[in-house]
Amino acid sequence: MNESPERVECLIIGSGPAGYTAAIYAARADMKPVLYEGMQPGGQLTITTDVENYPGYPDGIMGPEMMDNFKKQADRLGTDIRFGMITSVEFNSKPPHKVWVDGQKEIVAETVIISTGASAKWLNIPSEKKLNGSGVSACAVCDGFFYRGSDVAIVGGGDTAAEEASYLAKICNKVYMIVRKDEMRASKAMQHRVENTENIEILYNTETDEILGEMVVEGVRVKNNVTGDMREIPISGFFVAIGHTPNTRIFKDFIDMDEQGYIKTIPGSSKTNVEGVFACGDAQDKIYRQAVTAAGSGCMAALDAERYLSSKHFAESA
Ligand code: NDP
């Protein structure tokens, strides 16, 4: 016999700063939120080191510790936090909406808050896939330790690449930073930091042709896209830091998105095109993408969901 679906008032999908903040507000509003953590509990900040720009921590805090604090706070206030992935959804024109957990368990939700964040992009060259986990990584903070004292390379010219290059420079012998244009996209402060770090060599106008090595990374072949010159550099770690893709694929048949897959919300709110479905955090923000803005938008989503439910219940009881 099929189990009847569980009914919840407020379902939160994702466990970064947006999801946990939504949970804190929803729990305090007595919406009995159920939060599914997804594949990377705690989200992107769990693969970061120091967070120095989140207000309230005068000495900074480590990303994983901060996310642990978010979780504890959401838990203490009564969020039902569960390990699991939402693998598909069926949103109707009006709630209740249906979602499935790990391809099996069905949940029927009065309100859904999407806070699924974004994931790292890859170069998509064959050697990157072949050597993933054997010297290729998208997280310097997670894996840099394995290359202590060695030479490594990092691809990308944004703030993430600059920050991770600085991090790697502290533990590795030498860091090659592979930047495809003749300038970096990173903030001036971060550019200045990498340019002034002795053991970081920035290779501008340079693209990765192939990562070298059979079982483990042994080097990288790069191409200067102005001169066409190829060069092989011996390295043992290859880090990719070229941006992110929003984790919104499972919603695409129901929710309006832009061409990159970022969810469209009604300006000044977290409302999506579907009644009772709200979006917050990096899944709907390609501009700011900060922990503090994600948390702020999580608060908005919970308040919007709470107001939506209250007006619905009021209308039903009138
Ligand atoms: P960005 O999108 O800002 O930068 C991506 C970088 O990767 C760019 O230099 C881009 O090059 C390069 N790139 C993209 N695709 C490829 C490719 N296929 N091959 C080679 N290079 C490629 O991503 P980030 O993750 O760096 O940053 C995301 C956001 O988060 C930004 O808004 C950033 O400011 C913010 N951030 C803030 C931090 C902080 O404040 N402490 C820390 C980290 C991130 P090109 O410029 O040529 O397109």
Side-chain angles (χ1 to χ4, degrees), residues 44 48 50-53 121-124 155-164 177-187 190 206-208 240-244 282 286-290:
Q44 294 178 79
T48 310
D50 286 312
V51 178
E52 293 189 329
N53 51 12
K121 279 188 193 164
W122 294 96
L123 293 172
N124 291 322
V155 189
D159 279 318
T160 303
E163 204 170 81
E164 296 200 343
M177 196 169 169
I178 303 170
V179 180
R180 66 181 174 182
K181 289 196 183 132
D182 61 358
E183 58 179 7
M184 276 186 233
R185 195 190 292 199
S187 59
M190 284 310 299
T206 301
E207 288 172 36
T208 306
V240 181
I242 59 169
H244 293 84
D282 287 10
K286 61 177 174 190
I287 299 172
Y288 302 105
R289 297 187 281 196
Q290 298 300 299

Side-chain angles (χ1 to χ4, degrees), residues 260-292:
Q260 292 162 276
Y262 286 92
I263 293 174
K264 289 184 181 169
T265 50
I266 296 173
S269 83
S270 65
K271 293 175 192 165
T272 68
N273 59 305
V274 176
E275 196 178 311
V277 179
F278 306 87
C280 51
D282 287 10
Q284 54 85 54
D285 171 21
K286 61 177 174 190
I287 299 172
Y288 302 105
R289 297 187 281 196
Q290 298 300 299
V292 68

Side-chain angles (χ1 to χ4, degrees), residues 16-37:
Y20 279 134
T21 305
I24 290 165
Y25 275 77
R28 293 189 82 244
D30 208 20
M31 292 164 76
K32 301 173 194 64
V34 171
L35 179 149
Y36 277 91
E37 290 183 300

Side-chain angles (χ1 to χ4, degrees), residues 14-258:
S15 57
Y20 279 134
T21 305
I24 290 165
Y25 275 77
R28 293 189 82 244
D30 208 20
M31 292 164 76
K32 301 173 194 64
V34 171
L35 179 149
Y36 277 91
E37 290 183 300
M39 288 278 272
Q40 192 178 4
Q44 294 178 79
L45 279 171
T46 57
I47 53 169
T48 310
T49 44
D50 286 312
V51 178
E52 293 189 329
N53 51 12
Y54 199 91
Y57 295 100
D59 302 318
I61 182 165
M62 299 302 276
E65 190 187 347
M66 185 162 104
M67 291 323 299
D68 207 36
N69 289 342
F70 269 77
K71 181 174 180 174
K72 282 184 190 146
Q73 191 173 353
D75 181 51
R76 182 177 72 77
L77 293 165
T79 309
D80 182 348
I81 300 169
R82 302 177 185 175
F83 186 72
M85 271 298 273
I86 302 301
T87 43
S88 59
V89 301
E90 192 183 301
F91 293 158
N92 305 305
S93 56
K94 280 184 190 312
H97 300 297
K98 293 179 184 173
V99 311
W100 283 266
V101 184
D102 297 325
Q104 293 176 352
K105 182 182 164 62
E106 183 182 340
I107 293 185
V108 171
E110 284 297 316
T111 58
V112 177
I113 295 179
I114 300 172
S115 47
T116 45
S119 296
K121 279 188 193 164
W122 294 96
L123 293 172
N124 291 322
I125 52 175
S127 49
E128 176 189 57
K129 204 167 245 169
K130 183 178 84 179
L131 294 166
N132 200 328
S134 302
V136 173
S137 163
C139 177
V141 176
C142 318
D143 301 325
F145 175 81
F146 301 119
Y147 308 100
R148 191 169 283 264
S150 310
D151 291 358
V152 298
I154 183 160
V155 189
D159 279 318
T160 303
E163 204 170 81
E164 296 200 343
S166 301
Y167 174 80
L168 289 167
K170 288 185 203 144
I171 50 179
C172 300
N173 179 56
K174 169 130 193 184
V175 180
Y176 296 92
M177 196 169 169
I178 303 170
V179 180
R180 66 181 174 182
K181 289 196 183 132
D182 61 358
E183 58 179 7
M184 276 186 233
R185 195 190 292 199
S187 59
K188 289 282 174 235
M190 284 310 299
Q191 288 189 33
H192 192 68
R193 191 185 297 180
V194 290
E195 280 162 4
N196 288 289
T197 303
E198 221 166 81
N199 61 340
I200 298 179
E201 182 178 336
I202 306 167
L203 309 172
Y204 288 108
N205 291 317
T206 301
E207 288 172 36
T208 306
D209 183 58
E210 216 59 79
I211 306 159
L212 308 172
E214 274 313 306
M215 304 302 286
V216 292
V217 171
E218 290 168 9
V220 60
R221 187 167 58 237
V222 293
K223 181 181 180 181
N224 183 305
N225 56 27
V226 175
T227 61
D229 288 348
M230 292 280 205
R231 173 181 171 192
E232 287 189 8
I233 306 171
I235 49 158
S236 46
F238 183 85
F239 294 88
V240 181
I242 59 169
H244 293 84
T245 308
N247 300 319
T248 55
R249 195 170 41 82
I250 59 167
F251 310 111
K252 73 174 176 11
D253 292 339
F254 306 96
I255 298 286
D256 286 349
M257 298 175 186
D258 71 9

